């Protein structure tokens, strides 16, 4: 076997011209099915691997990608935006153009209108973070059928025909939170409040599912209450958590699966507890780091926003080039942060 076969070797083995090999590799019309089969047989026989970057450079190919995100104001979202901006600043070196489309968080009609306006003549692929609704799912299906690659970011859209999901395993993250809660409480019995940003977000649903699994399997003396929605509003989150704390006098733990850490911490500060509840949150920010240092927050389950942004970009390129996604490279790690390993926040 040739050590590093080239297109010349493919053309020789297939018995066709270089121009024909080029047409087959780039899926251009005008090649008979029998000839395509001969070229593909030669590629398999030689184990030929195409240099996609060189091919794109030769064709002056430029990737055109977009990140479609909710217009949130929180610190985690600011960190994600900063990571996307860092990736975008270097993307031109790989012949990639990146733009960000921000949409009102609760306006699904606006989001669908933005998605439906995108065509393959202006965009090759996009990464989307959105609540899971039928209209958004159907809009993603329409994008895919127009030939646009789609990856879901942080929270998934089941049944949407998206190409790939980029984010942590949220069921596993919820199970991790359940295990931490049970271990930290060390046999204390009582109720656990679960606070989410929205019941329409797949990541919230999956985290809650994993959390309930572990409590049911190993800590059935803990009684997790129905999910409380905070709607990404610190003031509203504080109010609804305070109401729940007044209603349930034996709360021993609070699991924030993605709600405002400021809101939950504010409610804890204002409530008169007999014993402070164990508080577990998601996503490390300046605010959550502060509450860990102050002893209000016990642990944060987090994911690296830089890895999220870079992974979304790599996956989109792979999909556009019809190349496999490297699973180990795109596996977003679940990190646990406590006071003892709290990093210095920039």
């Amino acid at each position: 076997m040739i050590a590093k076969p080239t297109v010349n070797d493919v053309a020789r083995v297939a018995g066709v011209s270089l121009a024909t090999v080029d047409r087959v590799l780039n899926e251009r019309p005008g090649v008979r099915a029998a000839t395509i089969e001969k070229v593909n047989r030669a590629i398999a026989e030689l184990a030929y691997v195409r240099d996609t970057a060189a091919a794109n450079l030769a064709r002056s190919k430029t990737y055109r990608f977009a990140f479609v995100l909710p217009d949130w104001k929180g610190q985690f979202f600011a960190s994600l935006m900063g990571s996307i901006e860092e990736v975008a600043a270097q993307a031109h070196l790989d012949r990639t153009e990146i733009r960000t489309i921000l949409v009102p968080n609760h306006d699904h009609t606006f989001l669908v209108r933005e998605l439906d306006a995108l065509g393959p003549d202006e965009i090759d692929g996009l990464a989307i973070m959105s609540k899971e609704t039928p209209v958004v799912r159907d809009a993603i299906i329409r994008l895919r059928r127009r030939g646009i690659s789609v990856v879901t970011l942080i929270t998934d859209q089941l049944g949407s025909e998206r190409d790939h999901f980029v984010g942590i395993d949220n069921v596993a993250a919820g199970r991790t939170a359940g295990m931490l809660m049970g271990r930290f409480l060390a046999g204390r019995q009582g109720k656990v409040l679960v606070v989410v940003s929205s019941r329409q977000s797949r990541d919230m649903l999956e985290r809650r599912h994993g959390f309930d699994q572990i409590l049911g399997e190993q800590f059935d003396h803990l009684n997790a209450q129905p999910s409380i929605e905070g709607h990404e509003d610190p003031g509203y989150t504080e109010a609804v958590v305070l109401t729940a704390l007044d209603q349930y006098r034996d709360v021993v733990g609070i699991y924030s699966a993605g709600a405002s850490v400021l809101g939950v911490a504010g409610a804890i500060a204002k409530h008169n507890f007999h014993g402070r509840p164990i508080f577990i949150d998601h996503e490390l920010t300046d605010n959550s780091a502060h509450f860990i240092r102050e002893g209000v927050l016990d642990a944060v389950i987090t994911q690296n926003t830089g890895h999220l942004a870079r992974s979304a970009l790599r996956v989109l390129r792979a999909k556009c080039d019809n190349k496999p996604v490297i699973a180990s490279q795109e596996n977003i790690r679940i990190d646990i942060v406590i006071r003892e390993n709290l990093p210095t926040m920039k």
Side-chain angles (χ1 to χ4, degrees):
M1 182 178 290
I2 300 170
K4 190 174 181 181
T6 67
V7 288
N8 289 286
D9 298 311
V10 173
R12 175 177 53 78
V13 171
V16 300
S17 67
L18 281 173
T20 298
V21 173
D22 182 73
R23 287 192 189 96
V24 173
L25 289 173
N26 291 294
E27 299 180 352
R28 287 197 284 268
V31 185
R32 291 182 302 169
T35 303
I36 294 173
E37 186 179 347
K38 284 200 300 183
V39 172
N40 286 330
R41 247 195 334 262
I43 288 171
E45 179 183 333
L46 294 167
Y48 169 73
V49 178
R50 190 183 190 198
D51 188 339
T52 306
N56 287 340
L57 183 61
R59 301 198 312 264
S60 297
K61 163 71 175 178
T62 298
Y63 301 98
R64 302 158 302 169
F65 297 142
F67 283 82
V68 181
L69 307 167
D71 191 10
W72 284 355
K73 306 301 181 187
Q75 290 183 344
F76 172 72
F77 186 71
S79 175
L80 177 63
M81 286 293 294
S83 294
I84 292 171
E85 289 169 0
E86 287 179 0
V87 167
Q90 297 296 317
H92 69 280
L93 298 175
D94 294 317
R95 306 188 67 84
T96 302
E97 298 173 358
I98 295 177
R99 59 173 161 146
T100 302
I101 301 172
L102 297 180
V103 298
N105 188 33
H106 302 288
D107 194 339
H108 296 142
T109 301
F110 183 92
L111 171 58
V112 169
R113 190 164 58 244
E114 288 289 306
L115 296 179
D116 284 343
L118 297 172
D121 57 331
E122 62 176 313
I123 192 169
D124 300 305
L126 63 85
I128 181 171
M129 177 184 176
S130 170
K131 293 184 177 69
E132 184 182 29
T133 67
V135 292
V136 175
R137 176 202 63 206
D138 292 348
I140 292 173
I141 290 173
R142 291 192 294 273
L143 281 168
R144 290 290 298 109
R145 293 178 182 177
R146 293 198 296 276
I148 297 172
S149 299
V150 179
V151 301
T152 49
L153 184 66
I154 298 175
T155 182
D156 207 355
Q157 299 275 343
L158 297 188
S160 66
E161 300 181 10
R162 51 77 172 152
D163 288 281
H164 197 81
F165 167 63
V166 174
I168 57 173
D169 180 334
N170 283 299
V171 174
R175 289 179 65 88
T176 301
M179 183 62 70
L180 291 173
M181 183 67 72
R183 294 287 183 88
F184 285 172
L185 284 170
R188 286 173 62 189
Q189 297 186 14
K191 295 182 174 65
V192 177
L193 298 185
V194 180
V195 193
V196 300
S197 60
S198 169
R199 293 190 187 97
Q200 288 184 312
S201 292
R202 172 59 51 180
D203 55 341
M204 301 292 106
L205 296 173
E206 291 179 341
R207 291 172 187 178
R208 176 68 204 249
H209 179 58
F211 187 77
D212 288 346
Q213 281 181 339
I214 286 294
L215 263 58
E217 292 168 6
Q218 300 192 38
F219 306 105
D220 58 4
H221 57 283
L222 298 175
N223 185 6
Q225 299 305 295
S227 297
I228 302 167
E229 287 185 295
H231 300 297
E232 298 92 32
D233 183 324
Y236 180 79
T237 301
E238 180 179 312
V240 294
V241 172
L242 271 173
T243 298
L245 290 172
D246 289 336
Q247 180 181 358
Y248 306 116
R249 287 294 180 177
D250 57 342
V251 172
V252 294
I254 300 177
Y255 172 42
S256 172
S260 165
V261 68
L262 284 174
V264 177
I268 291 173
K270 291 181 179 179
H271 192 77
N272 183 24
F273 290 100
H274 295 299
R276 184 182 73 80
I278 294 297
F279 178 21
I280 296 171
D281 189 39
H282 275 265
E283 314 309 352
L284 185 63
T285 64
D286 287 335
N287 286 334
S288 57
H290 166 76
F291 290 122
I292 288 177
R293 284 191 294 268
E294 294 298 308
V296 176
L297 180 58
D298 296 277
V300 171
I301 298 164
T302 193
Q303 53 194 315
N304 186 285
T305 58
H307 192 179
L308 288 168
R310 292 189 298 273
S311 179
L313 189 58
R314 285 193 298 263
V315 170
L316 285 171
R317 284 194 188 120
K319 293 301 177 181
C320 288
D321 293 333
N322 292 316
K323 295 175 66 176
V325 173
I326 303 173
S328 60
Q329 186 179 31
E330 311 314 340
N331 179 34
I332 308 299
R333 189 177 64 191
I334 297 172
D335 290 323
I336 301 170
V337 178
I338 58 177
R339 183 187 294 178
E340 285 68 26
N341 68 347
L342 183 66
T344 302
M345 303 297 289
K346 294 182 180 179

